[in-house]
Amino acid sequence: MALQLLSASAATTLLMLISIFIMRRLRASQALQAAKKADHLVLMSSTPEPTMLSRSLASALPDSVILPHDAAAFKQSMNSYWAQQECQVIPACVVRPRNVQQLCTAVTILKREYDEREKHAGEAKVEGLFAIRSGGHSPVSGAASIKGGIVIDLGLFREVTPSENGSSVAIGAGAKWMDVSKVLDEKGLAVVGGRNSAVGVGGLTLGGGLSFFSPRFGLVCSNILSYELVLASGSITTASASINPDLWRVLKGGSNNFGIVTRFTARSFPSTNIWGGFIYMPASQAAKVLAAFHEFVNRVDSRDPSTMYDNHAAGPIACFSYIQTLGVQAIAVNLVYTKSPENKKWPACWKTSSFGSLWHLWSTCKVRTLTSATDEMNALNPPGRRQVFATTTIKNDPTTIAAAHAAYRDAIASIRRVNVKGLVWTLVLQPLLSDSVRKGDANPLGLDDYTHEPLVIVSFTVNWDERRDDDFIKTTTRRAVEQIDAVAAANKSGHRYRYLNYCAEWQRPFEGYGEENWRFLQGVSRKYDPEGLFQRGCIGGFKLDVMNGGA
């Protein structure tokens, strides 16, 4: 009997190992297939006629405007988005300014067109004219593109220039985090930046930004010393603690509502290799993973020196995935320590946690460069597939954490019945610590006024193959979030904050900043953009409702 049980256990372990290996290969092949499909879609779609506005832009900036009849360049631009649904939103043209002066010219032309349309619109609402693309990593359709409109592509603003004394780095708004870490790794420096190498600097930073270094230094936005941006007037300005301080503050989480940021100057600090990676487990370990997550996050309140929170520890990021193609569930937990351990083994804070003793199939945790760690995060969800995010925030309450996992699990039954092609349905839990959000410069996110109790960001990351399943996936994801919110409300374990970069298109993140902060954002918007170019002329992202009665 013992031998039979051992054989069964070995077979199960082998099956899980094979399944996860296939899952990783499957995601790469699905991304390649989706990219080829996207190429085909762009090539086969009818070429739209140039609009008067796109002609005006092409006349003023002949070397920086890509029109649809330039098929190869236009296709390349469209297929550079992360989510497949964004690739399928076809604009009238793409403007790729080569410098900030060209961007000023483009904004001036767009503002003139916007004013003209406002004059003739009367009581009607002016339709969006343009969208802004930094890294193009948002899964929200239309977040960085616009059907029949103008895309401002910041892809040529990719500078990464450390200061001579190594205390700051100038970063172009079109850079991706891989561009930043590759330069800084070589110099023994780092910034509080993104954890996924393919994510754009602009979108992540303007949405708040979570980082491996947040436990030590705060959110990404709270470590930006200054911003260079183009305002609705077409003028260039700087926002810092001493120059336009109100604008400096609202850009720390206010998204694209105030202008087009062209350069961020971020604090930098000495940093060598880090320790990190994923541990992979079968779904049968779910209860133990949830308990380990709660226990580790609760260390912020510990007075025991052996279990006190170590701010070099980032995470845990606990991911629970259902892979439709294989019909299996798996767990991956990301653990990071932002200081290289002396013996290159598990750092004490992780070794003494429950994660250190959890049985797992395998681990990728090792000493590595920051670029390597962020590349691994990117490899788990590569570009070219249809994507949806949605999020909520709860307290580190075991009952509510379990309810979040139950909502994930409950949705799998309906997903199986529909049989969504290529689906990967993932629940992600990660801590948001009160100490972390108070570090760095002040921001308007509304997190500095809550108690010392740690929070948990709950999010769903969902990807699949075919457009026909879009509505079902969006509905299922929303239902799961609302199920979690209902339990949190009943247990008084919810929180108003919604991390903007994980929000679905139906969510309203600025409401979660609190009324006072929301009104502050609206007031600054009126000051720097009185006619509302970035509220109504620029679509995408989340808007402040400046002209709709305020908060």
Side-chain angles (χ1 to χ4, degrees):
M1 177 62 73
L3 183 60
Q4 290 176 334
L5 288 173
L6 183 61
S7 298
S9 175
T12 302
T13 301
L14 180 61
L15 177 62
M16 285 302 305
L17 283 167
I18 293 171
S19 295
I20 295 176
F21 175 78
I22 294 173
M23 176 186 73
R24 292 169 70 97
R25 292 302 181 97
L26 180 69
R27 285 190 172 186
S29 65
Q30 285 174 329
L32 181 61
Q33 291 169 8
K36 289 179 179 178
K37 183 178 180 181
D39 283 355
H40 178 72
L41 285 168
V42 172
L43 283 169
M44 295 301 293
S45 59
S46 58
T47 303
E49 289 296 318
T51 63
M52 289 293 293
L53 181 55
S54 62
R55 286 194 184 101
S56 295
L57 287 161
S59 176
L61 301 166
D63 297 327
S64 300
V65 175
I66 306 172
L67 294 164
H69 65 249
D70 185 355
F74 194 79
K75 181 189 74 172
Q76 183 179 16
S77 178
M78 290 300 94
N79 290 339
S80 65
Y81 291 98
W82 175 62
Q84 188 187 108
Q85 61 264 37
E86 276 284 74
C87 298
Q88 297 169 344
V89 180
I90 308 302
C93 73
V94 177
V95 179
R96 296 197 83 202
R98 298 170 184 270
N99 51 56
V100 70
Q101 288 73 29
Q102 287 195 351
L103 179 59
C104 291
T105 299
V107 171
T108 299
I109 293 170
L110 290 168
K111 180 63 163 57
R112 185 169 62 232
E113 177 70 16
Y114 174 79
D115 289 343
E116 192 66 23
R117 293 190 188 188
E118 280 272 286
K119 187 193 308 180
H120 293 96
E123 296 297 318
K125 181 180 178 182
V126 174
E127 296 295 325
L129 289 178
F130 67 101
I132 306 163
R133 179 170 72 191
S134 170
H137 204 271
S138 172
V140 177
S141 182
S145 190
I146 176 171
K147 184 178 181 180
I150 311 300
V151 169
I152 302 293
D153 180 2
L154 301 176
L156 297 180
F157 291 80
R158 300 187 78 151
E159 70 163 309
V160 181
T161 308
S163 64
E164 288 188 9
N165 65 5
S167 65
S168 65
V169 182
I171 306 171
K176 296 185 178 181
W177 289 108
M178 68 177 75
D179 302 319
V180 179
S181 63
K182 285 177 181 177
V183 170
L184 299 187
D185 279 347
E186 294 183 357
K187 296 183 176 295
L189 296 172
V191 296
V192 182
R195 301 169 298 184
N196 183 320
S197 62
V199 169
V201 169
L204 180 127
T205 306
L206 293 172
L210 301 172
S211 172
F212 292 139
F213 297 103
S214 288
R216 290 168 61 189
F217 301 110
L219 300 175
V220 176
C221 68
S222 294
N223 286 276
I224 301 300
L225 298 170
S226 68
Y227 305 78
E228 178 188 82
L229 68 157
V230 176
L231 300 174
S233 63
S235 62
I236 306 166
T237 194
T238 297
S240 68
S242 58
I243 304 170
N244 301 318
D246 53 351
L247 187 57
W248 178 63
R249 182 179 170 93
V250 296
L251 289 170
K252 297 178 183 298
S255 193
N256 63 1
N257 286 291
F258 307 95
I260 302 178
V261 176
T262 58
R263 181 189 297 125
F264 303 86
T265 301
R267 288 187 184 92
S268 55
F269 47 88
S271 180
T272 55
N273 287 346
I274 67 172
W275 178 94
F278 283 85
I279 54 174
Y280 291 89
M281 289 158 282
S284 58
Q285 292 281 78
K288 291 181 179 179
V289 171
L290 294 174
F293 179 92
H294 172 261
E295 175 269 326
F296 191 84
V297 176
N298 251 12
R299 286 189 172 195
V300 295
D301 294 326
S302 175
R303 297 294 178 264
D304 181 349
S306 66
T307 59
M308 287 181 67
Y309 196 82
D310 184 336
N311 65 13
H312 284 91
I317 305 176
C319 310
F320 304 83
S321 294
Y322 168 66
I323 305 100
Q324 178 94 317
T325 304
L326 302 175
V328 299
Q329 297 181 54
I331 302 171
V333 181
N334 182 249
L335 309 174
V336 167
Y337 194 74
T338 57
K339 184 171 68 173
S340 182
E342 292 181 5
N343 57 9
K344 297 188 177 183
K345 296 182 179 179
W346 279 53
C349 67
W350 291 120
K351 189 66 176 177
T352 59
S353 75
S354 297
F355 290 106
S357 58
L358 268 180
W359 183 85
H360 53 267
L361 296 164
W362 88 76
S363 165
T364 66
C365 294
K366 62 182 180 180
V367 175
R368 65 211 312 178
T369 64
L370 180 60
T371 300
S372 169
T374 60
D375 280 345
E376 182 178 29
M377 194 75 78
N378 176 52
L380 291 177
N381 197 357
R385 311 198 64 220
R386 308 188 79 76
Q387 303 276 353
V388 155
F389 287 170
T391 188
T392 190
T393 306
I394 61 175
K395 296 177 182 177
N396 187 37
D397 168 62
T399 301
T400 313
I401 290 172
H405 185 264
Y408 150 82
R409 196 177 58 246
D410 291 346
I412 293 173
S414 62
I415 289 169
R416 280 176 171 152
R417 287 194 296 270
V418 174
N419 192 26
V420 179
K421 184 178 179 182
L423 176 84
V424 180
W425 166 258
T426 300
L427 166 72
V428 183
L429 305 175
Q430 55 188 306
L432 184 65
L433 306 180
S434 58
D435 185 49
S436 298
V437 300
R438 290 189 175 99
K439 291 177 178 177
D441 302 315
N443 59 62
L445 304 182
L447 288 166
D448 55 354
D449 59 356
Y450 80 91
T451 64
H452 185 68
E453 187 174 6
L455 300 176
V456 177
I457 294 178
V458 180
S459 59
F460 286 92
T461 299
V462 191
N463 53 78
W464 67 102
D465 284 350
E466 297 183 349
R467 187 200 298 259
R468 66 181 184 182
D469 296 312
D470 288 5
D471 289 343
F472 171 75
I473 292 299
K474 290 178 181 180
T475 300
T476 302
T477 306
R478 181 169 184 169
R479 188 181 299 123
V481 170
E482 291 173 343
Q483 181 178 329
I484 298 166
D485 284 341
V487 173
N491 292 341
K492 294 182 170 49
S493 55
H495 192 275
R496 70 188 184 193
Y497 179 69
R498 301 292 180 269
Y499 179 45
L500 185 147
N501 291 331
Y502 291 166
C503 279
E505 54 197 11
W506 53 270
Q507 297 188 286
R508 296 172 62 83
F510 295 122
E511 290 184 2
Y513 290 11
E515 185 172 345
E516 182 180 348
N517 286 318
W518 192 5
R519 290 193 182 280
F520 174 63
L521 292 168
Q522 291 174 328
V524 176
S525 171
R526 292 188 190 99
K527 176 181 176 180
Y528 290 94
D529 182 17
E531 287 82 28
L533 176 67
F534 288 98
Q535 291 303 298
R536 298 183 300 282
C538 174
I539 70 161
F542 297 92
K543 298 305 172 183
L544 298 170
D545 297 337
V546 171
M547 304 302 290
N548 295 327

